[in-house]
Amino acid sequence: LTLTARDDSRHALSHPKPKPHLRHRASLGRHQYWYGSSGGGGGGAPSNSSTAAAAAAADDDGADVSDSVALDIDSALATMETLGFENWAEVTAGFESVKWQDKQASFAAIAAKFAAIKADPASAPAAPTVPVGDAKTGFSEALVVICAAKSKQWKESNVNVIKAVLAALTACAEAAEDVATTTSMGFSRTAAAAVIKHVGVPKLGDRKLKEIASSLLTALAEATSPGFVAGRVAALVAGGSLKALPVIISSLEWTTNAVADFGARSFPTKPITAMAQGAVAHRDGKVRIAALGVLGGFYAQLGPKFKAQATPDSLAAPVSKAITEALDKITFDAAAVAAAAPKRMAKGAAAAPVAAAGSDRVDIGTVLAGGVEELVAKMGEAGAKDSWKARKAALDELMAAVDKAGKFLEANKNLNEVLRNVRKRVHDNQTNLKPLAVSVIVAVITSLDVAAVPKALRTVAEDLLQGAHDNKKAMRERVLTALEEMVAPGGTPTPGAVDALGPAMCTALQNPVGRSDLLSWLAVQVERGEFHVTKNVDENAIVSPLLAGLSDKTKESRDAAARCLSALCARRCVSKRSVEHALQDLNPSVKRTVTPAVEAALEKLSQSPRGSDSAAVAQPQAKASASEEPAAASRRPSKSKASASSDSGPIATRRPSKTALVSDGAAASADEGAHLKPTAIAKKSAREGAAKSRRWAEAP
């Protein structure tokens, strides 16, 4: 919307005239105003800015709001007089004086009046007595018309006068209340648009007026909405109407500060981001730095999700690279963002939803060009000689999608489908695709929320750990580094991540290929306290593969297994009973081989104090001790029953099961050998083995 005002006795404004079919003429005293709409907004009628839209939503950039106030100077002065000035005649006389001191004093008197109303809102009149476009915002529109007319249409050359004009507008904006109330002090969006265009932004380039002009824009943002003011500023910067570099730089700097004060969610990200992207390509280095500051301010509050919006595919490569490098230097702390409160808020607005800014994760399906189904189809393509190229392209596309999402993915059905198909590529018949598949799995899982990592690891654990048995050393090493990257990204352990790998790890340790590396990695996790006995991995499940490692052919595996078992015993993750029970299943020769290492580990078990790490084992162990004696008694026939049976005649007796004999021998070994030294335990075990064989042969 454009405005042309003509004063036949004085001067003519240099504003461009609107199109003829949108022009309307109104004769107001000596002034003739031509006003009209360039965007379909009411055919030139005064803009009603006191609707509920004044409480700005983030997407409201005010693009459809007029910047023309349809009010003549005489009506504006009459409206302003109703505020109740004690010396209104002196104020109006000062406007007509040739001395700049008198004009400055008149504007200062208006500023003082609005400051008094801010201090005592009850002193504000209910509504202007002179009809205006909107009774709730009439005083702001009247002030804008007065300031424009009495400052030579914003072209006043005296810096003191123009500073007084800005101070009066700032005082009016600071005194403004929520336009949804019945008060008369709301600030019109039409008036705000005119101020932003003609004086608010242009004066940012003047070093003497920059501070007060910035304060004016901030006050307008509080009086109307941050999104409205920032949207108008972005439109001016992106529209090319601002030529002076100081004005462009200061506008970008004000936007950055406003985002930090009001919260990123209070602003329309699309137009501001587009404006900043264009400024990043500017020839001047200071403009580029200021533009990157705007994008960095959004990223610090919105997180990696904003990165996809800031670096779209349509952006020029140099610009995209500059933005990416700048955002990568910024640390996004979701917890700090959630706990932070905005420094400023629009009048009458609720707390800005900055706390929710870090919670919006990206659905992987939205950043894939063809969607999840097409990606899965490409990933599973086989048969043709060069089908591996399609599978590689699918993996590359998925990796690019993770980067495009800012490595901030949402754990949902689409992501699970992707993981279930990516894990198959760990066994791809094309050797070069295996490490790439592992890298993609790492990228996807490390992009999830910490709470979603254990479930995702359980999805890929079995296939991923099978890669540790690959014939290629490079593949085995890549799997080990991938495990560390997923369970402790950046050196910070993820709770429950190692436990999620437990069942698959117990299975993988049965394979001698790559066993030493997996045992060494697991030993480190146990020593860190990241491995626990859970319902999915009980102590019996982890002890058996460790004993297999103790009997491995390679010294590296035996040493790693001994270290891991010692760490488990030191942290009381396993009990003596479970270790001895697992020993009974070994061949005598294997048992003799592993006994020294087992005894050394059990010594640490007896030396370590019971703590929080033994909580998972202590309760089952106590139950077993309580029921051990009755169970042993039930397995042994009582002496009275044996005597009775011998007296009454032959009784069919059942051959004792092998399990019962083994359990009986183990229980006796635990009870009778408790006072023996570790070296005597081995001799006693040999004697018990021979006795067990005799009992088995003599049993009917």
Side-chain angles (χ1 to χ4, degrees):
L1 196 73
T2 54
L3 166 68
T4 300
R6 298 176 181 174
D7 189 341
D8 297 336
S9 62
R10 293 187 180 182
H11 56 271
L13 291 177
S14 59
H15 298 293
K17 295 182 179 180
K19 297 181 180 180
H21 66 283
L22 294 176
R23 295 172 63 205
H24 302 270
R25 179 174 177 178
S27 298
L28 301 172
R30 294 180 301 171
H31 300 271
Q32 296 179 356
Y33 286 85
W34 297 86
Y35 58 92
S37 174
S38 60
S47 172
N48 185 357
S49 61
S50 62
T51 61
D59 292 336
D60 180 16
D61 58 0
D64 58 343
V65 177
S66 167
D67 58 10
S68 300
V69 180
L71 190 67
D72 65 281
I73 183 62
D74 294 335
S75 298
L77 290 172
T79 300
M80 191 61 59
E81 184 179 4
T82 60
L83 280 178
F85 289 87
E86 297 179 356
N87 54 347
W88 181 246
E90 296 180 5
V91 172
T92 55
F95 287 140
E96 304 300 331
S97 174
V98 295
K99 296 182 178 180
W100 65 265
Q101 292 89 345
D102 296 338
K103 292 183 179 180
Q104 180 188 29
S106 297
F107 285 116
I110 295 178
K113 185 62 179 178
F114 281 112
I117 293 175
K118 178 184 178 181
D120 183 15
S123 62
T129 57
V130 178
V132 292
D134 191 328
K136 297 177 183 178
T137 60
F139 289 112
S140 62
E141 296 181 356
L143 178 61
V144 170
V145 172
I146 293 173
C147 290
K150 303 306 179 181
S151 65
K152 302 177 182 178
Q153 300 304 319
W154 315 107
K155 303 298 182 181
E156 175 65 51
S157 59
N158 190 289
V159 67
N160 296 297
V161 174
I162 201 67
K163 185 179 293 187
V165 169
L166 296 176
L169 293 170
T170 302
C172 180
E174 291 177 348
E177 298 291 340
D178 180 16
V179 296
T181 64
T182 57
T183 184
S184 60
M185 296 309 299
F187 206 99
S188 167
R189 282 196 168 195
T190 301
V195 172
I196 294 170
K197 177 181 179 180
H198 297 296
V199 68
V201 172
K203 299 305 179 182
L204 288 174
D206 191 328
R207 59 183 180 85
K208 296 180 179 180
L209 302 175
K210 178 180 179 179
E211 183 177 355
I212 191 171
S214 299
S215 300
L216 172 59
L217 292 178
T218 302
L220 292 175
E222 290 181 325
T224 56
S225 83
F228 170 77
V229 177
R232 305 292 294 205
V233 173
L236 291 173
V237 175
S241 59
L242 303 179
K243 303 299 182 181
L245 292 180
V247 176
I248 299 175
I249 295 171
S250 298
S251 299
L252 293 169
E253 292 174 346
W254 178 87
T255 304
T256 302
N257 295 332
V259 171
D261 290 343
F262 291 95
R265 284 300 184 88
S266 300
F267 295 87
T269 56
K270 291 183 179 180
I272 296 179
T273 301
M275 175 267 295
Q277 290 169 345
V280 171
H282 199 276
R283 68 181 186 278
D284 187 79
K286 294 182 179 180
V287 174
R288 295 195 297 269
I289 294 174
L292 292 174
V294 174
L295 298 174
F298 277 108
Y299 179 83
Q301 296 189 34
L302 300 180
K305 179 183 178 181
F306 176 73
K307 190 174 183 180
Q309 182 178 345
T311 56
D313 296 336
S314 59
L315 205 60
V319 176
S320 180
K321 180 180 178 181
I323 296 175
T324 302
E325 292 177 351
L327 298 185
D328 288 342
K329 297 178 182 178
I330 300 174
T331 302
F332 171 66
D333 189 348
V337 172
K343 300 178 182 178
R344 298 177 182 271
M345 290 186 293
K347 295 292 193 302
V354 177
S359 61
D360 295 334
R361 292 185 170 267
V362 181
D363 184 353
I364 188 65
T366 61
V367 290
L368 291 171
V372 175
E373 294 182 359
E374 182 176 336
L375 178 75
V376 170
K378 292 180 181 178
M379 204 174 296
E381 188 171 338
K385 184 178 180 180
D386 58 348
S387 58
W388 67 271
K389 296 181 180 179
R391 299 194 298 272
K392 182 180 184 301
L395 293 173
D396 292 337
E397 179 183 354
L398 180 56
M399 183 69 81
V402 174
D403 292 336
K404 186 176 181 180
K407 296 184 179 180
F408 203 66
L409 295 176
E410 177 187 3
N412 55 18
K413 182 178 179 181
N414 287 334
L415 188 97
N416 291 336
E417 182 68 18
V418 168
L419 286 176
R420 283 195 296 267
N421 286 272
V422 174
R423 67 183 183 182
K424 300 176 183 178
R425 303 279 64 82
V426 179
H427 319 296
D428 200 283
N429 54 17
Q430 175 58 244
T431 306
N432 295 331
L433 294 187
K434 296 179 182 180
L436 178 58
V438 175
S439 299
V440 172
I441 291 175
V442 172
V444 172
I445 291 182
T446 54
S447 300
L448 299 175
D449 184 68
V450 174
V453 169
K455 182 178 180 181
L457 281 174
R458 284 192 290 269
T459 303
V460 302
E462 184 175 354
D463 296 270
L464 184 63
L465 289 176
Q466 286 182 13
H469 310 316
D470 196 85
N471 294 329
K472 300 289 185 181
K473 183 179 179 181
M475 177 62 181
R476 297 196 301 268
E477 293 177 350
R478 182 65 188 100
V479 171
L480 292 175
T481 56
L483 292 176
E484 190 64 25
E485 291 173 8
M486 290 186 292
V487 302
T492 304
T494 300
V498 178
D499 294 337
L501 296 170
M505 181 65 71
C506 294
T507 303
L509 290 176
Q510 300 292 349
N511 193 326
V513 179
R515 177 187 286 166
S516 61
D517 295 332
L518 288 178
L519 285 171
S520 299
W521 181 85
L522 182 60
V524 173
Q525 306 307 318
V526 175
E527 292 169 354
R528 289 178 179 174
E530 297 301 322
F531 181 85
H532 309 86
V533 175
T534 63
K535 62 180 181 179
N536 294 326
V537 182
D538 58 15
E539 46 185 321
N540 294 324
I542 189 61
V543 169
S544 296
L546 291 181
L547 294 181
L550 289 174
S551 61
D552 196 275
K553 296 180 180 180
T554 61
K555 185 178 183 301
E556 292 80 4
S557 295
R558 295 195 300 270
D559 293 343
R563 177 187 175 189
C564 190
L565 182 59
S566 298
L568 287 171
C569 292
R571 301 193 68 85
R572 305 192 71 84
C573 292
V574 296
S575 63
K576 179 179 179 181
R577 181 173 179 272
S578 64
V579 175
E580 293 179 345
H581 184 273
L583 278 173
Q584 300 301 323
D585 296 334
L586 300 179
N587 294 329
S589 61
V590 176
K591 184 177 179 181
R592 288 192 295 269
T593 302
V594 304
T595 297
V598 172
E599 291 175 351
L602 291 179
E603 285 184 358
K604 294 189 176 182
L605 178 64
S606 61
Q607 295 172 1
S608 61
R610 289 186 178 273
S612 58
D613 293 328
S614 63
V617 182
Q619 187 174 358
Q621 191 173 1
K623 292 182 179 179
S625 300
S627 61
E628 185 175 356
E629 189 63 29
S634 64
R635 291 194 295 269
R636 300 190 190 98
S638 63
K639 185 175 181 181
S640 60
K641 288 184 179 181
S643 301
S645 61
S646 62
D647 295 340
S648 60
I651 298 178
T653 58
R654 178 180 300 175
R655 179 196 245 340
S657 65
K658 186 175 181 180
T659 304
L661 292 175
V662 172
S663 300
D664 192 10
S669 174
D671 295 336
E672 298 173 7
H675 64 284
L676 299 178
K677 295 182 179 180
T679 55
I681 295 178
K683 297 179 181 179
K684 185 176 180 298
S685 300
R687 293 196 302 271
E688 288 175 354
K692 198 184 311 174
S693 300
R694 289 194 301 271
R695 284 163 46 194
W696 180 271
E698 294 171 359

